[in-house]
Amino acid sequence: MNERRSSSVRSSRWIARSVLTLAGLFALASACADSPERGETGAASQALAGPTLKWSVTSASPFVDLAPRSDGSAIAATKESVLSIDASGAKTTLYAGPPPVGRPLVQRGAEGFLVPTGKGVSVHDATGTAKGAVSFGANEYARLIPGGLDTFVPRAESIDPEDVTIVEGRVFSQTGALAASFATSKLVKSRITKSHVLWATRSTLTKSSLAGATEWVNTSVQPHRFEIDDEGRAYIVNRSGDTRVVELYDKTTRLGAYTFDAPVWNIAIAPGGVYAAASSKSVAVVFKHGAVVGKVPLGGVYPVSLDVADDGRLLLGTQDRAKKTTGVALFDASGASLFSKPFGDDDDAYRPDVRFAPGGNGFFVRDRAGLSFYVTEAP
């Protein structure tokens, strides 16, 4: 569910890559030169029963995305291929690729994947079997609807990449048959649940059924980007105009807001919608029902990825500001450190990528070497 950051932010991260020196983030003195400081992260606790590695899968071509499952299995894609990884770490190739254009597309909650064809996408199930094809035009895109293989495909009014106006939302069956269409005038971003689509213009956010019926419209929000819970009821918004601001909503009711010291880099919301999280380049914040409940100052690292679980645990993927070493850290909802681990050197702006498994009983780490799954227990 990630929106790409601006090219200027990406450039800054490529310039400043580093060893993970977040004060107190690692309790491994041999991996970090800095000693822990309670004031920044909470004491790193080796006494706590931390996450344990269940499996790790390497890949000659780095993974670019994954669809995590609650049992610790996943569908994962490189730029050319798609693999199924079972709960023990055994991998099976579902699609060998490369696609005619682009790269395979996987996403959270979908039991399958899409392969670009140049005329649209082919739809594949979780065994790799092609079930059908969906056609669409230039500057249009397809997303799998969670829970199945149907797709949501906005229709663009213009093929000019500099002047794209989305005018309609469309739902296609896995075979490519049009199931529904409805007006989504000036749509710029969308997120999808099993039964609804939340779509944003520059100044509104609308929740519609997949048949097009409007459930509500929030006319006071100005989304730069947003993330939703599994029900499509609670959501976190990073505002346009002042991208330092995040707002948290229940339907059209604003629960709270927070202004960071700098533009927001990451936002996430837990599947159940109670907890959410966001970070700038210098601090990560946890929210509960819209109120701040925890903060993690980031010291000498950049937060390149972030996720939050239904119990408020915060998961960060980080890169140091001076070197290339990366790391992963887990915190409770108050910001106290639960676990930290260094990973290998990397100069990619979006790795390590961290994701909680649905249900929060583990998390995935996508790094330069491959993909790993760690089993956790809620504190």
Side-chain angles (χ1 to χ4, degrees):
M1 303 168 95
N2 294 322
E3 297 290 349
R4 291 302 182 190
R5 305 179 183 90
S6 66
S7 59
S8 62
V9 173
R10 280 201 304 269
S11 297
S12 69
R13 295 187 180 190
W14 279 84
I15 293 171
R17 295 296 160 222
S18 59
V19 82
L20 203 53
T21 55
L22 172 57
L25 189 63
F26 294 135
L28 303 173
S30 62
C32 297
D34 294 342
S35 59
E37 296 178 15
R38 176 70 184 181
E40 285 206 350
T41 68
S45 176
Q46 292 295 313
L48 292 175
T52 57
L53 178 65
K54 180 69 177 293
W55 53 258
S56 182
V57 171
T58 59
S59 176
S61 177
F63 292 108
V64 294
D65 210 349
L66 74 149
R69 300 189 185 101
S70 59
D71 65 353
S73 64
I75 298 176
T78 70
K79 289 182 178 180
E80 298 185 345
S81 61
V82 180
L83 284 74
S84 175
I85 305 170
D86 70 17
S88 69
K91 58 184 180 180
T92 302
T93 299
L94 302 180
Y95 175 80
V101 296
R103 61 177 178 84
L105 305 171
V106 301
Q107 64 192 68
R108 180 182 178 274
E111 282 300 316
F113 58 95
L114 303 176
V115 176
T117 63
K119 296 180 179 180
V121 293
S122 58
V123 181
H124 299 250
D125 67 16
T127 71
T129 303
K131 307 299 288 187
V134 179
S135 298
F136 49 84
N139 301 317
E140 297 175 348
Y141 61 89
R143 287 181 179 161
L144 282 167
I145 295 171
L149 295 175
D150 292 352
T151 54
F152 177 70
V153 184
R155 182 172 69 84
E157 191 173 57
S158 170
I159 62 172
D160 181 357
E162 301 299 325
D163 184 28
V164 177
T165 300
I166 301 295
V167 296
E168 186 178 54
R170 296 171 295 179
V171 175
F172 290 89
S173 72
Q174 63 184 30
T175 62
L178 180 64
S181 62
F182 50 95
T184 54
S185 179
K186 298 182 180 180
L187 179 155
V188 292
K189 287 180 175 62
S190 61
R191 292 290 182 264
I192 310 163
T193 73
K194 292 181 179 180
S195 57
H196 291 81
V197 57
L198 277 75
W199 55 277
T201 69
R202 301 292 182 190
S203 59
T204 64
L205 184 65
T206 300
K207 182 178 181 179
S208 300
S209 74
L210 295 177
T214 299
E215 186 165 313
W216 49 255
V217 182
N218 186 339
T219 58
S220 63
V221 67
Q222 295 179 321
H224 171 60
R225 53 183 171 167
F226 68 98
E227 298 295 344
I228 65 174
D229 69 354
D230 282 355
E231 185 183 338
R233 172 173 177 149
Y235 49 100
I236 180 171
V237 175
N238 181 203
R239 284 186 66 88
S240 297
D242 188 348
T243 56
R244 300 174 304 157
V245 178
V246 295
E247 296 177 324
L248 300 106
Y249 287 87
D250 182 328
K251 295 184 178 179
T252 58
T253 300
R254 194 175 85 158
L255 302 177
Y258 185 83
T259 301
F260 283 82
D261 60 321
V264 171
W265 279 19
N266 307 286
I267 58 174
I269 191 166
V274 173
Y275 286 94
S279 70
S280 68
K281 65 181 180 180
S282 58
V283 64
V285 178
V286 180
F287 305 91
K288 182 178 182 181
H289 293 305
V292 174
V293 293
K295 292 184 181 181
V296 179
L298 297 174
V301 301
Y302 290 125
V304 296
S305 61
L306 171 153
D307 202 5
V308 62
D310 273 333
D311 58 10
R313 284 173 297 158
L314 174 69
L315 186 62
L316 289 175
T318 57
Q319 294 186 1
D320 189 272
R321 294 170 182 253
K323 300 179 183 177
K324 294 183 178 180
T325 301
T326 66
V328 171
L330 181 68
F331 303 85
D332 69 16
S334 72
S337 177
L338 300 174
F339 168 83
S340 56
K341 178 179 173 57
F343 278 73
D345 289 4
D346 203 344
D347 56 7
D348 186 274
Y350 301 101
R351 292 192 304 250
D353 176 38
V354 294
R355 314 274 186 93
F356 277 110
N361 61 335
F363 61 82
F364 296 83
V365 178
R366 179 178 62 84
D367 70 334
R368 185 174 187 172
L371 184 65
S372 304
F373 177 68
Y374 289 78
V375 178
T376 65
E377 292 185 3

